[in-house]
Amino acid sequence: MENIKRKIIYLTLIILSGTLLFYGCGKSMNNSTNPTTSGTTPVAAASATIQNFAFSPAVIHLLPGGTVTWTNKDATAHTVTDVNGGFDSGNIAVDATFVHTFATAGTYTYKCTIHSMMATATVIVGN
Ligand SMILES: [Cu+2]
């Protein structure tokens, strides 16, 4: 009898911790303000933010001829600069935006030239 009680308590604890874990995961996955990708379907117009020294989403899938609008939500200036020299926003002031049109298919990796510690991000242009 004591064994069954123990088993019930044990099972209850497992279910409870599983529920808490599930709730925790669901919460972080529903954090739509900071997605890591825009999804895999290319879009004609995408928006991105620069916040907490990070580009978000880190990967954007764009149709050829599409535009990306970046908004600087930090309290300091940033840049959106193609690592291969294709485009460069210059300093984007606090709350300012930068728009770039990607005419040609390809993979474009960009960085912030002010903050070398910031992770690069990517715009993948294609159908
Ligand atoms: Cu920066």
Side-chain angles (χ1 to χ4, degrees):
M1 199 59 187
E2 203 53 37
N3 259 349
I4 290 172
K5 263 190 185 173
R6 263 193 195 175
K7 269 187 188 167
I8 288 169
I9 289 170
Y10 190 57
L11 278 173
T12 306
L13 282 174
I14 287 176
I15 291 166
L16 209 72
S17 59
T19 306
L20 284 173
L21 206 71
F22 183 76
Y23 180 68
C25 287
K27 234 182 141 182
S28 65
M29 284 176 80
N30 285 335
N31 186 358
S32 58
T33 56
N34 193 21
T36 53
T37 172
S38 64
T40 51
T41 305
V43 295
S47 51
T49 60
I50 316 169
Q51 192 163 23
N52 299 322
F53 293 83
F55 299 108
S56 179
V59 180
I60 292 169
H61 295 267
L62 200 68
L63 288 167
T67 60
V68 180
T69 302
W70 285 269
T71 302
N72 180 7
K73 294 190 172 178
D74 269 338
T76 185
H78 291 291
T79 78
V80 169
T81 308
D82 182 1
V83 297
N84 294 313
F87 57 92
D88 183 7
S89 65
N91 286 10
I92 306 169
V94 175
D95 290 330
T97 59
F98 169 64
V99 182
H100 184 71
T101 302
F102 295 81
T104 311
T107 298
Y108 301 85
T109 300
Y110 63 92
K111 63 181 179 180
C112 172
T113 57
I114 301 170
H115 307 104
S116 56
M117 76 288 192
M118 282 174 65
T120 59
T122 309
V123 178
I124 299 169
V125 182
N127 288 293

